[in-house]
Amino acid sequence: MKSILGLLLMVAVLIAAVVYYRDWNSGPPPVRFRTTTVERGDLRAMISATGTVEPEEVVDVGAQVAGKINFFGPDPRAESEPRYKNKFIDYGSPVHVGTVLAQIDDSVYRAQRDQALASRKRTQADLGQFLAKLLQAEQERKRAEDLRKLAGNIKGIADTDYDLVVANHDVAKANVEVAKAAVEQAEAALKLAQTNLDYTVIRSPVEGVIVDRRVNVGQTVVASLNAPSLFLIAKDLSKMQVWASVNEADIGRIRSRKDMPVRFTVDAYPGEVFHGKVDQVRLNATMTQNVVTYTVVVAFDNSNMKLLPYLTANLQFEIEERHDVLLVPNAALRWRPRLEQVSPEIREEVAPLLVRKRSAESAPGAKTRSAASGSGRPPQAERPSPETPRLERGRLWIADEDFVRPIEVELGSTDGSNTEIRGDAVKEGMQVVTGEIRNDPAAGSDGTNPFAPKIFRKSRQ
């Protein structure tokens, strides 16, 4: 029994030695290529962006006078819902035009109004007094003129006395005009004082919903150069918008189409897709870290009141729909072989192209420009010159035994994952390379244990 076990052990050691020697001298195994199939189907080209859900129109209600907030107005919902009884205006309260939102301490402004009212009464009394004096002056002048009309050489009144009567009459008329002006001035002062007193009651200028309450009872608001903001009212939450930030590389395609359909999702309702249309492309661009973005306003119907203001939205602008076209994954357009992987008979022809591609990718700022575009276009695509038709070109690689060969294709629309391709050399069902697989047991691939120790071999000469 021991002799049999010893014999088996020797055979096992011999087999292990033969395998080890074969692996040591055989060098690395040939590279296998990972491929995918060119398929025919439908494609929806989209541009992705992020934005914020905003009310269609908001009104910032401020205070035009300074003072302490004494109290808030009663909640309008108290009339129909008992649970809001003895409740005051707060977040989410529906308001109507003229609804009392808050009351500012009016003691100072009420005193100013009373003072202006008293001043008006005094000026009116002064006017009455001057009117009476004017009437007296008119009577005196009339008597003086009658005396001057007496017949003969007898003068009923001296010239100096007549001139004094005329002057007194003119002064009385002027005093009446001054009194009338004083009355008008007092009226204006009273109107101003009454207006300031009315401003102590903050009322809603529109019908809507309180989105934000920015003051508390007892807080003092100071209205100087800028009116302090007290409440933010959204007029109609059934019609809302998404303000999306779109990169400058994509804004041209969005602006070229009116009422472009848009799909978007929000984190509050995962898996649910909402729909809207492009309503406006704003011209006030912003620059952040040398990246220029434009604000695109997307309007949508929120009649079910499901979406709340200021939710973060992930948008997809539906640029174009293509039907029954050849599609290839973008990974196939991004992959690029090493020169030794290209078929030997075309290496000289392909070598300058591969060197140029590598140099372009390693240039400073290349990655920044690619990341900033956000268009989903594979980096293999080449931008055409202005003199050539606006059709981008790309390159696919097909396996040729242990090597690969290039295929020139024309690139169409892309959805970020797949790209439409056209060309005489590409056919439906064709296998194109997307990567490479090393059949190396030491590397832990193809089902081997990745935690096993690696065996070092001689490199193939």
Side-chain angles (χ1 to χ4, degrees):
M1 186 65 179
K2 291 183 178 180
S3 60
I4 296 175
L5 292 176
L7 181 61
L8 293 175
L9 181 61
M10 292 178 60
V11 171
V13 171
L14 181 62
I15 293 174
V18 171
V19 171
Y20 179 79
Y21 180 79
R22 182 192 63 187
D23 290 343
W24 176 267
N25 289 276
S26 61
V31 176
R32 293 189 301 154
F33 297 104
R34 184 185 297 110
T35 61
T36 188
T37 303
V38 177
E39 299 178 347
R40 185 175 295 276
D42 300 334
L43 181 137
R44 179 178 293 170
M46 295 187 178
I47 292 177
S48 299
T50 58
T52 305
V53 177
E54 299 279 351
E56 192 174 65
E57 186 175 356
V58 294
V59 178
D60 203 344
V61 181
Q64 294 181 265
V65 294
K68 182 182 69 173
I69 301 294
N70 281 346
F71 58 85
F72 293 136
D75 196 313
R77 291 175 290 185
E79 299 178 359
S80 57
E81 302 182 42
R83 60 175 177 158
Y84 291 105
K85 189 177 181 180
N86 299 327
K87 298 291 184 180
F88 299 96
I89 292 292
D90 206 342
Y91 298 92
S93 296
V95 294
H96 309 286
V97 178
T99 299
V100 176
L101 303 179
Q103 171 70 57
I104 296 177
D105 183 16
D106 62 351
S107 56
V108 174
Y109 302 100
R110 189 173 296 278
Q112 291 176 350
R113 193 276 311 270
D114 295 341
Q115 183 180 7
L117 184 61
S119 177
R120 186 188 66 170
K121 289 181 179 180
R122 178 178 179 179
T123 56
Q124 288 175 341
D126 291 341
L127 176 60
Q129 182 179 3
F130 285 119
L131 286 173
K133 290 182 178 181
L134 175 61
L135 180 60
Q136 181 183 4
E138 288 177 347
Q139 295 296 330
E140 291 178 353
R141 181 172 182 174
K142 184 178 179 181
R143 285 193 297 269
E145 290 177 349
D146 291 341
L147 291 175
R148 285 176 64 88
K149 295 178 182 179
L150 292 175
N153 296 326
I154 301 175
K155 291 185 177 181
I157 186 171
D159 292 338
T160 55
D161 293 338
Y162 179 78
D163 292 340
L164 180 61
V165 170
V166 172
N168 290 336
H169 177 258
D170 292 340
V171 169
K173 288 177 62 177
N175 288 336
V176 168
E177 296 300 323
V178 171
K180 287 181 179 180
V183 170
E184 293 179 357
Q185 186 176 6
E187 291 280 358
L190 176 60
K191 187 176 180 179
L192 176 62
Q194 184 63 50
T195 301
N196 288 334
L197 179 62
D198 294 339
Y199 281 155
T200 59
V201 181
I202 309 299
R203 299 180 183 272
S204 174
V206 295
E207 184 168 353
V209 178
I210 300 292
V211 176
D212 191 11
R213 175 175 62 80
R214 296 168 176 172
V215 290
N216 296 312
V217 174
Q219 181 176 343
T220 300
V221 295
V222 179
S224 54
L225 297 178
N226 298 321
S229 176
L230 307 183
F231 300 90
L232 189 65
I233 302 177
K235 291 184 64 174
D236 188 2
L237 292 181
S238 64
K239 296 179 180 179
M240 301 185 71
Q241 300 172 336
V242 179
W243 295 359
S245 298
V246 178
N247 189 274
E248 61 176 329
D250 302 319
I251 197 65
R253 289 187 288 173
I254 294 178
R255 196 181 182 194
S256 62
R257 286 188 57 189
K258 186 178 180 181
D259 295 333
M260 175 182 293
V262 182
R263 306 166 62 191
F264 66 94
T265 59
V266 294
D267 294 338
Y269 301 99
E272 187 170 355
V273 179
F274 301 89
H275 300 271
K277 291 184 178 180
V278 173
D279 182 63
Q280 184 185 49
V281 177
R282 295 182 177 173
L283 304 181
N284 56 332
T286 59
M287 178 179 291
T288 305
Q289 296 181 351
N290 294 329
V291 178
V292 178
T293 58
Y294 288 85
T295 299
V296 178
V297 179
V298 177
F300 68 94
D301 183 23
N302 191 41
S303 55
N304 57 3
M305 308 297 287
K306 193 168 189 177
L307 294 184
L308 302 176
Y310 312 118
L311 291 174
T312 300
N314 300 307
L315 303 95
Q316 289 184 323
F317 297 86
E318 300 180 9
I319 302 298
E320 184 181 8
E321 287 191 17
R322 303 287 294 171
H323 301 283
D324 195 28
V325 294
L326 294 179
L327 302 176
V328 69
N330 288 349
L333 294 166
R334 287 194 294 263
W335 185 79
R336 187 176 57 258
R338 298 186 299 275
L339 184 60
E340 59 269 19
Q341 294 176 323
V342 180
S343 297
E345 61 271 16
I346 60 173
R347 285 181 183 174
E348 293 184 2
E349 178 184 352
V350 175
L353 181 61
L354 294 179
V355 172
R356 185 165 62 251
K357 288 292 185 181
R358 293 182 184 275
S359 300
E361 288 186 356
S362 60
K367 292 183 178 180
T368 303
R369 291 191 298 269
S370 175
S373 67
S375 60
R377 175 69 65 201
Q380 189 76 6
E382 301 175 4
R383 294 283 183 184
S385 64
E387 294 79 8
T388 59
R390 299 191 62 183
L391 191 62
E392 298 182 358
R393 303 189 64 84
R395 186 170 295 101
L396 297 173
W397 299 86
I398 61 173
D400 183 11
E401 295 182 355
D402 294 336
F403 303 99
V404 293
R405 290 178 174 272
I407 295 179
E408 300 292 332
V409 294
E410 296 174 349
L411 304 182
S413 302
T414 180
D415 61 359
S417 299
N418 298 308
T419 299
E420 174 192 358
I421 58 173
R422 295 187 291 271
D424 297 334
V426 63
K427 305 294 181 183
E428 181 180 359
M430 176 181 292
Q431 297 292 318
V432 294
V433 179
T434 60
E436 57 184 83
I437 303 174
R438 290 186 175 274
N439 188 15
D440 190 353
S445 61
D446 291 342
T448 58
N449 186 1
F451 300 101
K454 297 183 179 180
I455 301 176
F456 296 93
R457 300 183 176 89
K458 294 188 303 179
S459 61
R460 180 179 295 174
Q461 300 297 331

